[in-house]
Structures are given as structure tokens and as C-alpha cells.
Amino acid sequence: MAAKILIVDDEPYVREILDRVLRSGGHEVRVVDGAEAAVAALEATTFDVMLTDVVMPGMGGFDLLRRAKRLRPELRVIVLTGHARSQCISDFLLYGADEFLAKPFQVEELLATVERVMRAATSR
């Protein structure tokens, strides 16, 4: 199932890899380098899924999640982090994240996670 995906990460290499992998999986992708740009994109366009990093300069992933859910409550959110802690995970899930992926992750794991959140969205 193809999705319209917003990728939010401050690391160019990570953005490039995510973009390439998700496009190869048949998804439509928009890439931004931070939370402020993500908010602007969400105000202008509807996305099915947002993949966001946690630690970014300026507004971090947690504040972005809260703003994104206020703007687009139906948005599915996958949080990507290299700093996974159980309290951090619970806070993100409490505020509406659908899935968590710890960096580094496998390509197959990323594609399967996107597919899983899309299936869950259509079954609601």
C-alpha cells in the first residue's frame, strides 16, 4: 500500500537513505531538515505518515509530534531514534506516535513498519 510520507531528520545522510528506500518501496516522499519545516509542510499538505527523528536542533521530535497531531490528528507517526529509552518511548506513544524504530534499523524493518501503520490506519 503506497503512502504519502513526510521525512523529518536533521542528518542529510539519513534523509537521503530514507528517501531512497521509501521511494523504492513505491511511496511518495517529501523530505525536510527540521521540525519547523515539517510544521510548514503539514500546514500546506496532507500526509499519511510522518517519520521523525527525536533529537534535532531547535524544536525536537516530541514537540513536533504534539504540533503535528494538533494539525493533522489522522497522521500516522513513526519515531526514529538512536536514543531509545523506555520513558521516552512511552511519552511518544502517549502523545500519539504509532511506532518506534531504533537506529540503526534494517531496510525491511522500515518498510514493514510503514506498511503496518498504513494497515492499522485503514482498519480503523
Side-chain angles (χ1 to χ4, degrees), residues 23-24 44 63 81 93 115:
R23 284 182 193 277
S24 74
D63 290 329
T81 185
L93 295 174
E115 183 69 28

Side-chain angles (χ1 to χ4, degrees), residues 43-106:
E43 288 173 339
T45 307
T46 301
F47 295 91
D48 300 308
V49 179
M50 178 175 74
L51 279 81
T52 184
D53 192 12
V54 172
V55 179
M56 298 180 283
M59 184 191 320
F62 186 69
D63 290 329
L64 173 58
L65 170 66
R66 292 175 31 186
R67 291 201 48 199
K69 284 300 201 169
R70 279 196 301 264
L71 286 168
R72 305 279 184 193
E74 72 287 353
L75 181 68
R76 307 287 71 152
V77 179
I78 300 170
V79 177
L80 309 171
T81 185
H83 310 285
R85 295 185 332 266
S86 60
Q87 184 58 48
C88 177
I89 293 170
S90 354
D91 288 346
F92 273 93
L93 295 174
L94 179 67
Y95 281 92
D98 296 279
E99 290 276 349
F100 235 88
L101 273 177
K103 294 178 187 176
F105 46 82
Q106 300 296 314

